[in-house]
Amino acid sequence: MPFLTPAVAASLLEAAVSTHSPLLGRSTHGQVLKTLSTIPPFLSNHLIHMYSKLDLPNSAHLLLRLTPNRSVVTWTSLISGAVRNGHFSLSLSHFSSMRRDGVNPNDFTFPVAFKASGCLRLPVTGQQLHGLAIKDGQMVDAFVGCSAFDMYCKTGLRDDACKVFDEMPHRNLATWNACISNYVLDGRPGSAVSMFIEFRRSGAGGDAITFCAFLNACSDAEDLKLGRQLHGFVIRYGYETDVSVANGLIDFYGKCHEMGCFEVVFGGMSSRNDVSWSSMVAAYEQNDEQEKACLVFVKARTEGIEPTDYMVSSVLSACAGLAALELGRSVHALAAKACVEKNVFVGSALVDMYGKCGSIEDCETAFHEMGERNSVTWNALLGGYAHQGHADMALALFREMTCGIHEVGPNYVTLVCVLSACSRAGEVKMGMEIFESMRGRFGIEPGIEHYACVVDILARAGKVEEAYEFIRRMPVRPNVSVWGALLGACRVYGKPELGRVAAENLFELDPHDSGNHVLLSSMFAASGRWEEANLVRKEMKDVGIKKGVGCSWISVKTSVHVFQAKDTSHEMNSEIQKMLTKLKMDMKSAGYVPDTKQALYDLEEEEKETEVWYHSEKIAVAFGLIALPPGIPIRITKNLRVCVDCHSAIKFIAGIVGREIIIRGEKPTTEALEMAAAKGACLNHVSRESSDIKRLAKFYQEIFGFEQVENPKLEFDIIWLKLSSFFLHLIERNPETKLPEGPWSATSADADPKNLPRGHHICFSVANFDSFVQTLKEKGIETHQRSLPNAKTRQVFFFDPDGNGLEVSSMEN
């Protein structure tokens, strides 16, 4: 560049800033030093501005020190560049250096300094800047006043912010926007609406920022009517073509659950950006239309829209709702390709998605690969553990959170997750201790969700009356979750009278929910009170309440297959029916007995068996066995609870076919979420005939590949089979045969295995069980242990010194 002039150099430096090209900026600087004997002050300002804006603070500061005549423009370029790149402390340090240099700030310097103090949440520094601005007479400027107002809002000094606003002689549009926006961010949507009305009365028109802030206030206040009035105003004055306003309307209608409205807004947009598509994905996800959210995401990709962190986190939440693991993995790959998977919101959504889809290993991997974690991330992993029934892991993670070595501590949601884990694990004592310590230890006031968890803890443990007394003592009014937990427990533990009390309260709170009526009816049916069961159904019919259709779905490749009870509409129905018939025969041979209490009508026993056999989740499992390759886990989601019979049947199926089967219901229980495939897990079959146990032994040898081991000598015939380190014992026993009693009991301190009754299945307390196992180890006896899926019971299998096979279990109560 032999003829480089200062004006040309200044233009090149501006181009370097606009194109974010440090290479062009440095090259221009080098040519300036090579070509010009002296650098004009205005060109020095351009150089400092270029280095500051391109986040090269050391070069900018060095150049400033080499500039002899430093003006307010020079210093302001340095300060504004530091603020733009997030170096707020450095910008305030430069501001102090400027003051020591004898240079007074101007109307461009104060706004960036106010912004730095606001972002750092330094009210004292902001007040000092305010005093200096008043002294220099700068507060009459609208931009300076607006910046001071914004600073006070961000630092929480509401009274000072109001004073600044009231004392401003001139309020421009930016001032009003800052005022309305800060009220929304401060959680005061009513004040934001009032300020918007005052703004309109002042005669100002507003812009996209104004309208979007007002829509946020309406959605926070759940004021659909007011938001619709603004929509009419937007159409009347021609702002509906503004893409930002349209995006704001989509977000508003989505949060207000007006699906038809945001679809109309999106369909009428002449141009759309990535925010438009992201808003649609989020709106569908917020309205429980996860499948539509995924379809919009796919369409956005076909339109050439690059995935953003907000879009990816929203579609991952939709995948979690659908339990669509494979689709979630695909989105994860796209996030990695777009370099947004390290974003804390995307990472948290990944942890949540993998946890809800039943892939705990991937859930943990996503968590540990995150460089930055917030409370949502920790809660997602904690919820994933609780969701899948890994209560011990959830409680261990909670202890890690509360040990003080992490910046993130437990919050309101954390306690909901950990109490839910205690409920699923049957940890009554620990759950109650955590609940009682919420205020004192964690400073968290219990909310209705926490009370609902405690009721669930007591109810699941069979302490139904105690759960009811807890409800009666609650300081807040019980909601649907609280009474629903009690009603579910009354159904399981056969408490129809107390269940009626819970149901009546549910009918009052939510009279149109068919699930509560069906649960009450099935509770009466299970206890044989058919007249009352039929009466509940008649009442439903009389008031026009229809039972929600239960359905189960499974994802295979890129398709989702949905099934209802007794469904024969699938194109592969003949194959499904053949699979169901084969499974039914194999399961009966393995000892499966249908739980006909799940039948909701007074039918003959054979009809009841048929009724429960063709539930939607069993059909979905049969289809999964046909459509998915061997070894691939079968993951099914149901929109209702998984019944007890289906849970039992699917455990049998998982054992027979050697597959991992995961069922997720709308309100998951521990049983419904167990990984029921436990290959080779110890089973205890008791039969009356020797021919029965021989037939079963042959069955398990052919199906699983068990090998028979030497039979121990007992008072009755037994066949022991072995697969890896797991045992299966098939016992022939006359029900009238009385087994010998030993001195060992659930309360005995004697831990001598010789005193055990041989071949007996015994239960002891957890503490006694541990001491017993320790004694076995000290005596050098080989043991085989496992934990049952309910997470409360452990078992130990061993041969005693006389060669007798024994099984001992722990039992909490």
Side-chain angles (χ1 to χ4, degrees):
M1 298 181 185
F3 302 106
L4 184 67
T5 63
V8 173
S11 299
L12 289 173
L13 293 172
E14 290 177 0
V17 173
S18 61
T19 58
H20 303 282
S21 174
L23 180 62
L24 176 60
R26 289 189 183 279
S27 299
T28 304
H29 189 188
Q31 287 296 324
V32 166
L33 294 175
K34 182 179 179 180
T35 306
L36 303 178
S37 57
T38 59
I39 301 177
F42 86 93
L43 192 55
S44 295
N45 294 339
H46 272 286
L47 284 167
I48 294 171
H49 174 80
M50 181 271 296
Y51 282 124
S52 298
K53 288 293 191 293
L54 295 180
D55 199 16
L56 298 169
N58 292 334
S59 298
H61 192 230
L62 177 62
L63 189 60
L64 180 133
R65 292 175 59 188
L66 295 174
T67 302
N69 299 317
R70 296 185 285 268
S71 66
V72 66
V73 176
T74 312
W75 283 102
T76 301
S77 298
L78 187 68
I79 296 168
S80 63
V83 170
R84 177 179 177 176
N85 290 288
H87 306 303
F88 304 118
S89 298
L90 182 62
S91 67
L92 293 176
S93 175
H94 289 326
F95 185 89
S96 299
S97 299
M98 178 186 71
R99 294 284 297 148
R100 287 193 296 268
D101 205 32
V103 178
N104 290 325
N106 61 10
D107 53 349
F108 289 97
T109 318
F110 276 113
V112 291
F114 278 128
K115 182 177 180 179
S117 59
C119 291
L120 290 172
R121 303 295 190 270
L122 297 175
V124 175
T125 303
Q127 288 173 327
Q128 292 173 341
L129 289 169
H130 186 190
L132 187 60
I134 293 173
K135 182 179 178 181
D136 288 355
Q138 297 288 348
M139 287 302 296
V140 296
D141 184 86
F143 289 102
V144 176
C146 178
S147 301
F149 169 79
D150 187 65
M151 178 273 297
Y152 280 124
C153 288
K154 284 185 169 58
T155 54
L157 300 178
R158 295 180 180 177
D159 293 338
D160 291 333
C162 290
K163 290 178 181 177
V164 170
F165 187 82
D166 293 336
E167 293 173 358
M168 291 176 64
H170 304 289
R171 298 171 187 162
N172 58 8
L173 182 58
T175 307
W176 287 101
N177 286 346
C179 184
I180 297 170
S181 299
N182 277 293
Y183 276 134
V184 174
L185 294 173
D186 199 31
R188 294 189 287 169
S191 299
V193 170
S194 300
M195 193 57 63
F196 178 82
I197 294 172
E198 184 180 342
F199 166 65
R200 288 290 300 137
R201 286 173 178 167
S202 69
D207 62 0
I209 297 174
T210 317
F211 300 139
C212 290
F214 183 79
L215 287 169
N216 286 333
C218 293
S219 60
D220 290 348
E222 298 182 355
D223 195 332
L224 180 62
K225 181 179 179 181
L226 196 60
R228 279 178 168 162
Q229 290 177 351
L230 182 73
H231 191 179
F233 175 86
V234 164
I235 295 173
R236 181 180 179 183
Y237 288 93
Y239 285 102
E240 77 275 10
T241 57
D242 188 290
V243 66
S244 299
V245 176
N247 293 341
L249 286 167
I250 293 171
D251 180 70
F252 162 71
Y253 282 124
K255 290 176 179 176
C256 291
H257 309 294
E258 290 290 321
M259 192 165 67
C261 293
F262 69 70
E263 288 176 335
V264 169
V265 173
F266 184 79
M269 294 178 68
S270 57
S271 62
R272 301 167 183 148
N273 56 16
D274 58 338
V275 179
S276 311
W277 291 96
S278 297
S279 299
M280 280 298 289
V281 174
Y284 276 128
E285 195 278 325
Q286 290 162 358
N287 286 274
D288 296 324
E289 292 287 347
Q290 289 89 357
E291 190 171 350
K292 288 185 178 180
C294 294
L295 290 173
V296 169
F297 176 77
V298 172
K299 189 174 181 180
R301 294 289 297 135
T302 60
E303 295 285 334
I305 302 296
E306 290 298 319
T308 62
D309 51 358
Y310 184 69
M311 185 188 296
V312 169
S313 59
S314 297
V315 77
L316 284 171
S317 296
C319 294
L322 290 171
L325 179 62
E326 297 308 317
L327 180 58
R329 290 189 195 278
S330 301
V331 176
H332 188 179
L334 284 174
K337 185 178 180 181
C339 300
V340 297
E341 85 279 9
K342 300 300 182 183
N343 178 277
V344 66
F345 301 108
V346 174
S348 300
L350 282 168
V351 175
D352 180 65
M353 183 273 295
Y354 282 125
K356 289 181 178 176
C357 289
S359 183
I360 290 297
E361 295 80 3
D362 290 324
C363 177
E364 292 174 326
T365 300
F367 178 84
H368 292 300
E369 287 181 350
M370 290 181 64
E372 177 188 359
R373 306 183 187 113
N374 58 14
S375 59
V376 176
T377 317
W378 285 87
N379 290 342
L381 181 59
L382 187 63
Y385 284 147
H387 194 75
Q388 295 299 324
H390 300 297
D392 52 344
M393 300 166 75
L395 294 173
L397 183 69
F398 178 69
R399 286 191 289 269
E400 184 180 348
M401 287 184 70
T402 56
C403 68
I405 61 175
H406 299 286
E407 294 182 1
V408 178
N411 58 16
Y412 188 97
V413 177
T414 309
L415 270 298
V416 173
C417 292
V418 76
L419 288 173
S420 178
C422 291
S423 172
R424 287 168 166 80
E427 294 283 356
V428 179
K429 183 179 179 181
M430 180 175 293
M432 297 305 295
E433 288 177 354
I434 291 173
F435 176 77
E436 296 295 338
S437 66
M438 282 181 60
R439 292 187 185 90
R441 183 180 177 189
F442 304 113
I444 299 172
E445 186 68 24
I448 189 63
E449 292 86 358
H450 302 110
Y451 286 106
C453 286
V454 172
V455 173
D456 198 45
I457 288 172
L458 297 171
R460 280 175 182 264
K463 301 182 178 182
V464 183
E465 288 82 2
E466 191 174 333
Y468 178 59
E469 289 301 318
F470 179 84
I471 293 173
R472 295 180 62 184
R473 297 194 305 269
M474 281 172 51
V476 295
R477 186 188 179 190
N479 65 356
V480 172
S481 299
V482 174
W483 289 115
L486 183 64
L487 179 58
C490 291
R491 165 71 177 86
V492 173
Y493 292 101
K495 303 283 185 180
E497 299 305 326
L498 194 54
R500 184 189 288 277
V501 174
E504 288 174 352
N505 283 277
L506 284 167
F507 297 161
E508 180 182 347
L509 291 169
D510 192 359
H512 301 293
D513 185 357
S514 64
N516 300 323
H517 293 78
V518 173
L519 195 56
L520 179 63
S521 174
S522 63
M523 180 175 60
F524 286 136
S527 58
R529 297 162 66 168
W530 294 104
E531 290 184 5
E532 292 168 281
N534 292 332
L535 181 61
V536 173
R537 288 185 169 272
K538 184 178 181 300
E539 291 174 352
M540 287 177 62
K541 186 176 181 180
D542 292 342
V543 297
I545 298 175
K546 295 183 179 180
K547 178 183 178 294
V549 178
C551 60
S552 301
W553 59 91
I554 178 173
S555 297
V556 177
K557 295 183 179 179
T558 59
S559 301
V560 177
H561 301 260
V562 184
F563 300 92
Q564 296 181 11
K566 302 180 183 179
D567 198 334
T568 59
S569 61
H570 197 275
E571 59 183 9
M572 296 180 65
N573 178 61
S574 59
E575 293 92 334
I576 293 172
Q577 297 303 319
K578 289 179 183 178
M579 177 61 73
L580 284 170
T581 302
K582 181 179 183 302
L583 289 173
K584 192 173 184 179
M585 294 175 58
D586 293 344
M587 289 163 64
K588 284 193 174 181
S589 299
Y592 163 71
V593 178
D595 186 351
T596 54
K597 290 182 179 180
Q598 304 304 311
L600 301 181
Y601 297 96
D602 191 7
L603 306 170
E604 295 296 328
E605 190 65 25
E606 187 176 345
E607 292 175 306
K608 289 182 181 179
E609 290 185 14
T610 303
E611 183 76 20
V612 299
W613 177 247
Y614 288 101
H615 282 184
S616 63
E617 51 267 58
K618 293 189 182 84
I619 299 174
V621 168
F623 173 72
L625 291 171
I626 298 168
L628 292 173
I632 299 296
I634 298 174
R635 304 176 188 274
I636 295 168
T637 305
K638 186 175 182 181
N639 65 333
L640 302 175
R641 287 182 182 270
V642 178
C643 77
V644 175
D645 178 72
C646 283
H647 162 242
S648 175
I650 290 167
K651 282 206 296 186
F652 268 91
I653 294 172
I656 290 170
V657 301
R659 292 278 284 273
E660 183 179 359
I661 303 177
I662 300 169
I663 309 285
R664 199 183 88 179
E666 180 189 31
K667 298 177 181 177
T669 61
T670 305
E671 293 80 14
L673 295 173
E674 287 173 358
M675 294 183 182
K679 294 181 185 178
C682 189
L683 305 172
N684 189 354
H685 283 283
V686 180
S687 304
R688 296 188 182 185
E689 303 289 339
S690 295
S691 59
D692 286 341
I693 65 172
K694 290 177 182 177
R695 177 173 50 81
L696 289 173
K698 183 179 179 182
F699 171 80
Y700 280 105
Q701 285 173 304
E702 291 178 351
I703 296 296
F704 293 107
F706 273 85
E707 295 179 359
Q708 186 170 345
V709 296
E710 184 178 356
N711 295 341
K713 298 177 181 180
L714 301 174
E715 291 87 350
F716 41 82
D717 288 340
I718 180 170
I719 297 178
W720 281 67
L721 304 176
K722 181 180 180 182
L723 178 65
S724 184
S725 61
F726 297 99
F727 289 89
L728 165 69
H729 47 285
L730 309 173
I731 305 170
E732 177 201 355
R733 184 169 71 193
N734 188 327
E736 298 177 359
T737 302
K738 185 177 180 181
L739 294 174
E741 296 294 336
W744 183 280
S745 68
T747 57
S748 172
D750 187 357
D752 189 350
K754 293 180 181 179
N755 295 325
L756 280 170
R758 296 167 183 173
H760 204 169
H761 183 134
I762 339 170
C763 293
F764 299 114
S765 68
V766 173
N768 243 10
F769 175 83
D770 290 336
S771 67
F772 173 71
V773 173
Q774 183 60 34
T775 302
L776 290 178
K777 292 179 180 178
E778 292 173 357
K779 292 181 179 293
I781 297 175
E782 182 182 0
T783 62
H784 304 276
Q785 294 189 57
R786 73 160 182 151
S787 295
L788 294 185
N790 63 17
K792 293 190 291 187
T793 305
R794 290 175 292 160
Q795 292 181 334
V796 59
F797 308 93
F798 63 95
F799 290 97
D800 74 6
D802 296 328
N804 298 300
L806 301 172
E807 168 187 342
V808 177
S809 302
S810 69
M811 186 169 66
E812 187 167 336
N813 298 307

